[in-house]
Amino acid sequence: MLRSAALAFGLALAAAGSASAELVARGVQDGMLALGPKGTPYVAYVQSGKVVVAHRGAKSWRKERAAVVGAGWQVRALETSRGGPVVLAQSRDTRRIVLLRRGLLGWQTIRVAPRLPAGVILGWPGLALDRSGNPVIAYVRWTPSNFASRLVLARVNARGRVRAQRITAGGFPPAYLPPAAEPLLVGSRVHVIESFGWRGSVGTYEWYPQRKTWVGLGLDVSRGDWPLGPVLAARARNGLVYAAWTESMLGFGFVPVTLAVHRVGSIEVHSEFVLDRALTTALALPSSGPEVAANEWVDDFDLGRDGEQDVWAGVVRGADRVELGGWIAGLAAPRAGGRDVLLALPQGLSWFHSRGRLKTHVTIAASGGANGATVTGAVDGASSGSVRIYRELPGATPELLGTAPLSGGSYAFADRSPVEPLLYRAVYVDPRSRVPYAALLRPGND
């Protein structure tokens, strides 16, 4: 989902490792995950110019072609209800957004935004389903020539008619790049969260209807450039609203992930950076509290090398921090418990289910010597098994060096022919869920 946004800023994926998982889409690296009312996992992605929606059947994944869209389109959102899955897709030129849903006669393709004047493009849109299962879409019309924006809320009824409502006017807020937006159901009302960058700050507002207008509650204002990728939101049963997004602070050397929370009806907001440099892809809200899925990286500059390549590490940040061996495309918390994860691995999009929360923590360190390099670390809660050790370099395919057995939860591996700079990844595959927990060596922790 977020891969193309990353590529726009000179980033590239280098996922490490593979595991025995359920392969959903071979050769596909972008996708989204959602759970049906009964916990059935759905995955939406674009392959060969077609939007495909897959769900897990009794014995295998069943796939449906939802629409033919052409090259460069991306799935921006996926939601499910009793009526089935609903997909939001956006064109490469970001001037078209379509809604895809299954009807009695097959899949419907509904154009969300009307034809745009020349020079106007659309920001990263968001999707929610109301109590009747009808789609609610939020998006921003943005004009690069004068940095003006217009936040729009669109509703699609059962017949496929789109009714648009303007939330902001007069080009507000001005933004250097098209803002991202996300609708959120709060009781019978729809709130919209919008994040934008302007004149050295990144602002995020929660807009809510009041009489005949809209009022914006400031969730966070930080010094920075602009948001990267989507803004995500969820509401807990106790009335707390959570929002998560990534913002660029390149002048300070950070690209932090922000998590904001407030209670419905209150203007008191708490926000904090939960990761220093990562691209946000999912927000799950189990009963234990919010969990943000994002993808961190180590780049050539970190390693003292020339170039603009990266090595990625998927991270789930909740009460603690867990790293996975692949790009996290989706994360969900079923009502019955556990976690569903969608990872982009070298072979394609792969689905995993863990019966409990993701909690296995892997550590890694490396030191060089006359006889080579030694890689050491531990896997919390694992008394047996082994870890795979990979050599990594930004922009290169991971190289499997070998396996190291666990002894009392610790491991050690000797690399007799190390390559400078030392950059390794350890991957531990959980024997039950097959989830690949991992640790990527960061500069400074060797």
Side-chain angles (χ1 to χ4, degrees), residues 342-386:
L342 184 67
L343 294 181
L345 298 174
Q347 65 267 37
L349 289 175
S350 300
W351 173 81
F352 300 82
H353 175 74
S354 173
R355 294 183 178 180
R357 66 183 180 90
L358 304 173
K359 61 181 180 179
T360 301
H361 182 61
V362 182
T363 63
I364 189 171
S367 59
N371 297 321
T374 301
V375 183
T376 59
V379 180
D380 291 348
S383 58
S384 61
S386 63

Side-chain angles (χ1 to χ4, degrees), residues 23-180:
L23 183 62
V24 180
R26 184 173 300 278
V28 177
Q29 294 294 306
D30 289 333
M32 301 205 71
L33 170 71
L35 301 181
K38 296 183 179 181
T40 301
Y42 287 81
V43 174
Y45 55 93
V46 177
Q47 187 174 37
S48 301
K50 304 176 183 65
V51 177
V52 180
V53 179
H55 73 275
R56 190 170 184 263
K59 296 182 179 180
S60 62
W61 284 83
R62 301 180 62 182
K63 302 176 182 179
E64 298 178 79
R65 190 184 73 180
V68 177
V69 290
W73 282 70
Q74 284 191 299
V75 171
R76 294 303 199 195
L78 170 65
E79 297 288 343
T80 61
S81 69
R82 292 181 180 178
V86 180
V87 181
L88 200 64
Q90 189 170 22
S91 61
R92 173 184 289 174
D93 62 8
T94 68
R95 286 175 52 84
R96 288 171 290 171
I97 299 173
V98 297
L99 181 86
L100 308 173
R101 67 180 179 186
R102 192 193 300 118
L104 294 177
L105 301 178
W107 283 87
Q108 294 178 309
T109 299
I110 302 169
R111 184 160 186 162
V112 174
R115 295 188 181 277
L116 302 174
V120 176
I121 62 177
L122 304 173
W124 196 298
L127 169 68
L129 303 181
D130 66 18
R131 293 179 176 180
S132 300
N134 291 324
V136 181
I137 304 105
Y139 65 91
V140 174
R141 293 168 54 125
W142 180 71
T143 306
S145 60
N146 59 5
F147 307 117
S149 71
R150 177 185 297 177
L151 179 59
V152 178
L153 180 66
R155 299 174 183 267
V156 182
N157 65 16
R159 296 183 178 182
R161 181 181 178 184
V162 179
R163 180 169 59 88
Q165 179 182 9
R166 188 175 60 189
I167 295 178
T168 63
F172 182 86
Y176 284 130
L177 289 178

